[in-house]
Amino acid sequence: MEGKTTTLLLLLFALLLTTSLSKDLCHKDDKNTLLKIKKAMNDPYTIISWDPKDDCCTWYAVECGNASINHRVTSLDISNDDVSTQIPPEVGDLPYLEYLIFHKLPNLTGEIPPTITKLKYLRYLWLSWNNLSGPVPEFLSQLKNLEYINLSFNKLSGSIPGSLSLLPKLEFLELSRNKLTGSIPESFGSFKGVVYALYLSHNQLSGSIPKSLGNLDINQIDLSRNKLEGDASMLFGAKKTTQHIDLSRNMFQFNISKVKVAKTVNFLDLNHNSLTGSIPVQWTQLDLQTFNVSYNRLCGRIPQGGDLQRFDAYEYLHNKCLCDAPLQSCK
């Protein structure tokens, strides 16, 4: 009798296990939305394997959450495809989405759809290396859980919306290699969150940097290849934890003689500006991997010691009267 009971229990367990394994974890609404996205994008090769008969939580480029949110779709990553289309507005119908990635789709055109404002849990927005146009949307400021925004390598135009500074959790903002114009918003000096990285390079930004930007302790800042001018000394500071500063190929004008750089800085590129003064002795304390002050108006003796002599003459050329190693000796 006991043997029969044990066998019966094992069969029942096996039946329950088979049933649970065959049951889709994917929410039916999410599956329907994903299939609409697939159709709207003309069945791109990267997601052509999506089969309505399969659990969408097992589909390539899709990830689902755990049982606490009923296994709703939390990540969509469509990358490296030559599909010709726009971002489907249906992406806004994945209400639990945290990660939205459209990356290296050179024929992905059009503007960023406003339907993404429905994605209240979105943390990570990565839309780089595409062919998107239009503005950096003002409505991104409505997505209060955003931590990461990368819209680089597109054809976005217009000014940078100051409302991005209202995002309380934003840590990373990458808008490089677009066609953005205007000035850096004054509000960027008072981000609600703690901004780790700010990349605005290779645009057509102009005007002066807001002085309030000096209030921030940004780990990585790249403003290179714009038309920015005036003083940028407020970005430096011995007590900051900055590691990467690239201000190259702008029109900045300030005296660097008393500029103290955080000891954490290992990348410092100031080439092709109109900087004056002499290189501070304090800079010999830096552990530099990249350094360039060429094409400025600097003068005086290059301080000896530290990493400053590790770089060749190229990084110092075309200044007013810099001298000493690695350049010619001072007279």
Side-chain angles (χ1 to χ4, degrees), residues 180-240:
L180 301 176
T181 55
S183 58
I184 298 175
E186 184 71 35
S187 62
F188 273 26
S190 55
F191 272 98
K192 297 296 182 183
V194 179
V195 178
Y196 175 86
L198 180 63
Y199 291 97
L200 305 177
S201 72
H202 292 78
N203 280 292
Q204 300 168 29
L205 300 176
S206 58
S208 300
I209 294 178
K211 290 184 179 180
S212 57
L213 212 57
N215 298 330
L216 304 182
D217 185 6
I218 302 176
N219 186 273
Q220 300 174 33
I221 184 164
D222 187 351
L223 307 180
S224 63
R225 293 181 182 265
N226 281 289
K227 300 175 182 178
L228 298 167
E229 58 188 31
D231 188 9
S233 62
M234 78 289 289
L235 300 177
F236 300 87
K239 295 182 179 180
K240 294 189 177 186

Side-chain angles (χ1 to χ4, degrees), residues 137-138 140-142 144 146 149 160-171 173 184-195 198 212-213 216:
E138 187 90 34
L140 292 182
S141 62
Q142 299 177 35
K144 300 301 182 183
L146 272 179
I149 299 175
I160 300 172
S163 59
L164 294 179
S165 65
L166 299 175
L167 292 169
K169 298 181 180 179
L170 188 64
E171 297 178 359
L173 180 60
I184 298 175
E186 184 71 35
S187 62
F188 273 26
S190 55
F191 272 98
K192 297 296 182 183
V194 179
V195 178
L198 180 63
S212 57
L213 212 57
L216 304 182

Side-chain angles (χ1 to χ4, degrees), residues 135-169:
V136 176
E138 187 90 34
F139 56 69
L140 292 182
S141 62
Q142 299 177 35
L143 298 168
K144 300 301 182 183
N145 282 302
L146 272 179
E147 300 171 10
Y148 178 102
I149 299 175
N150 188 341
L151 308 180
S152 62
F153 289 87
N154 281 291
K155 293 182 179 178
L156 301 176
S157 58
S159 58
I160 300 172
S163 59
L164 294 179
S165 65
L166 299 175
L167 292 169
K169 298 181 180 179

Side-chain angles (χ1 to χ4, degrees), residues 23-26 31 51-59 64:
K23 183 182 179 182
D24 277 9
L25 293 177
C26 179
K31 176 180 280 191
D51 189 334
K53 297 177 183 177
D54 297 333
D55 180 358
C56 77
C57 290
T58 66
W59 288 353
C64 296

